[in-house]
Amino acid sequence: MAFSGPASAEDVVEFNASVWLPATHPLAKHSYVEWLPRLEAASNGTLVPNLFTGPVLLAPNEHLSGIRDGIAQVGYHAGTYTPADIPEDNVLAQVAFGYSDPFVAAFAITEANMTLPQLQQQWKDNNIAYLGGYSTSPYALLCTRKVETLADMKGLKVRVPGAAQSDWLASVGGVPVNVPSSEMYDGLDKGQLDCAAISAIDLKSRSLWDVADHVTLLSLGLYWSGYSQGANRDFWQGLSDAQRQAFFDTLPEAMIDETIQYVEGDAEALAEAPDQGVTVVEPAEDLLSSIDEFASVVRTNAVALGRDQFGLEDPDKLLSEFEAIMAKWETRLKDVDRSDRDALVKIAREELFGKADASTYSMD
């Protein structure tokens, strides 16, 4: 049942959880399919989720408004799909172009969103309790033709995830196409797209190798925009302290497992790609140089985006605060084995989610 007042220990709360990605995708498999049963168990059976995978309950770009309005109580949202509603998030999304370690990024973006006042206010304004972040592995180019040199980029129609990749693409003569990643398959299949900027794991997890027979190993940055788990704020505040604590107790495994699958899944997909008729292409030096040159102006562009397009008061301060958190996690994780799941989960539990107070977090 749904309710607005505080819950007692005996209340059983049934709720809708929605992730528009296929159930095999890291952000669905580990963040929802495997996580929700652990959440139910940790709540002693008082949290009972109804999971919707794929765009069944909500379309990809409706996972902010749909959770805000209570159509789903918990879900995943790709923040670059709704830039006007969450401008601070979209400023941070741009600098993801310059990073390549998804583990550091997942820790940093989660801490930033759970602690920085500007970001917390952004989620409050949208009636969202931000609960967990994520990071993809670095984006590559999955294409219907060979793309190796800078000249090969001219006129290419490429699905891009955000403004940074769009600006880089325009700078090298490509044509940015801003559509949800759920439309990549059809776009490549029907010739509406020549390439998609996405992680290599999507060759396998979304069967893109059926429609893209080349993958160019560019590193077009990470993607961390939005939230892996966000909750309707009224729903969140109606739970008991113990039920809210169950979220924080189980989210570390979800974050680490999805990140590990991204990294391992990229390697598996690339290893299997030749057997699927996919050619793996190493980019030429001029194409690599275009990435390095653009990365040097990404931060400046992000500040301008926040100031000029979104009207934010101090986007430079927001970026500086985030960069300090990122630097902290780069140092903390420097010597941690990225394949040591238990060690990573322990760090996430003790040094990230364990610092959230279930009685006060997102309760104002």
Side-chain angles (χ1 to χ4, degrees), residues 138-143 145-149 153 168 196 198-201 203 214-221 266-267 269-271 273 278-284 287-288 291:
Y139 276 19
L141 282 180
L142 281 53
C143 302
R145 66 183 77 173
K146 184 178 181 180
V147 176
E148 182 179 10
T149 69
M153 296 298 304
W168 165 76
I198 200 73
S199 297
I201 191 175
L203 285 167
H214 289 80
V215 53
T216 303
L217 299 180
L218 283 176
S219 180
L220 297 172
D266 275 3
L270 290 172
V278 177
T279 300
V280 178
V281 180
E282 293 287 347
L287 189 51
L288 289 171
I291 299 292

Side-chain angles (χ1 to χ4, degrees), residues 4 28 45 55 91 113 121 132 205 237 252 270 286-287 314:
S4 57
V91 168
N113 275 288
Q121 186 62 48
S205 68
Q237 293 180 357
L270 290 172
D286 60 353
L287 189 51
D314 197 349

Side-chain angles (χ1 to χ4, degrees), residues 160-171 174 176-178 294:
V160 291
Q165 290 83 4
S166 179
D167 290 346
W168 165 76
L169 183 62
S171 76
V177 181
N178 295 296
F294 186 78

Side-chain angles (χ1 to χ4, degrees), residues 22-360:
T24 56
H25 193 276
L27 288 168
K29 179 182 179 182
H30 299 297
S31 297
Y32 285 90
V33 176
E34 294 181 356
W35 167 60
L36 288 172
R38 289 199 299 265
L39 175 66
E40 184 172 357
S43 72
N44 293 318
T46 66
L47 293 174
V48 182
N50 298 311
L51 175 60
F52 297 84
T53 60
V56 176
L57 184 64
L58 295 166
N61 62 356
E62 295 174 342
H63 277 71
L64 183 69
S65 62
I67 296 170
R68 177 195 67 205
D69 298 339
I71 298 171
Q73 286 69 49
V74 178
Y76 160 69
H77 180 54
T80 54
Y81 293 1
T82 56
D85 294 309
I86 45 175
E88 291 88 352
D89 174 86
N90 274 260
V91 168
L92 292 186
Q94 304 320 303
V95 297
F97 192 95
Y99 292 97
S100 60
D101 187 331
F103 290 94
V104 170
F107 277 92
I109 197 65
T110 300
E111 178 178 337
N113 275 288
M114 293 181 75
T115 61
L116 295 183
Q118 286 188 67
L119 297 177
Q120 279 284 291
Q121 186 62 48
Q122 167 193 251
W123 300 119
K124 183 178 180 180
D125 290 343
N126 284 277
N127 199 36
I128 299 292
Y130 180 100
L131 301 180
Y134 69 102
S135 175
T136 70
S137 50
Y139 276 19
L141 282 180
L142 281 53
C143 302
T144 59
R145 66 183 77 173
K146 184 178 181 180
V147 176
E148 182 179 10
T149 69
L150 198 59
D152 294 332
M153 296 298 304
K154 303 300 181 183
L156 281 186
K157 301 185 295 294
V158 183
R159 180 268 171 185
V160 291
Q165 290 83 4
S166 179
D167 290 346
W168 165 76
L169 183 62
S171 76
V172 296
V175 180
V177 181
N178 295 296
V179 297
S181 61
S182 57
E183 298 179 21
M184 291 184 301
Y185 189 102
D186 284 346
L188 292 164
D189 188 37
K190 296 175 181 177
Q192 297 161 344
L193 297 173
D194 299 306
C195 301
I198 200 73
S199 297
I201 191 175
D202 286 73
L203 285 167
K204 184 174 183 177
S205 68
R206 292 201 252 192
S207 300
L208 291 184
W209 51 28
D210 292 343
V211 291
D213 54 11
H214 289 80
V215 53
T216 303
L217 299 180
L218 283 176
S219 180
L220 297 172
L222 307 171
Y223 187 90
W224 58 49
S225 184
Y227 42 76
S228 182
Q229 294 89 7
N232 174 278
R233 203 174 182 91
D234 301 316
F235 161 80
W236 177 254
Q237 293 180 357
L239 301 178
S240 68
D241 288 356
Q243 288 168 328
R244 287 189 291 269
Q245 186 61 48
F247 280 83
F248 296 135
D249 287 344
T250 56
L251 284 169
E253 290 94 336
M255 187 183 82
I256 297 306
D257 286 345
E258 71 196 16
T259 311
I260 289 174
Q261 189 188 348
Y262 259 116
V263 174
E264 294 181 351
D266 275 3
E268 291 172 4
L270 290 172
E272 295 174 27
D275 293 335
Q276 299 293 327
V278 177
T279 300
V280 178
V281 180
E282 293 287 347
E285 188 59 39
D286 60 353
L287 189 51
L288 289 171
S289 295
S290 74
I291 299 292
D292 293 337
E293 290 169 9
F294 186 78
S296 68
V297 300
V298 163
R299 192 188 192 282
T300 300
N301 290 351
V303 171
L305 179 74
R307 182 187 63 238
D308 301 336
Q309 182 171 327
F310 295 135
L312 298 183
E313 183 175 338
D314 197 349
D316 183 76
K317 179 175 182 289
L318 174 63
L319 285 168
S320 294
E321 290 173 339
F322 172 69
E323 288 162 348
I325 293 172
M326 182 71 82
K328 181 190 79 171
W329 283 108
E330 286 175 341
T331 299
R332 176 64 183 88
L333 299 178
K334 182 179 179 181
D335 298 321
V336 178
D337 182 353
R338 299 301 195 267
S339 65
D340 190 340
R341 177 186 184 272
D342 292 343
L344 290 162
V345 168
K346 182 179 180 182
I347 293 169
R349 176 169 288 116
E350 295 178 354
E351 302 178 33
L352 187 59
F353 294 101
K355 293 187 175 182
D357 186 338
S359 67
T360 61

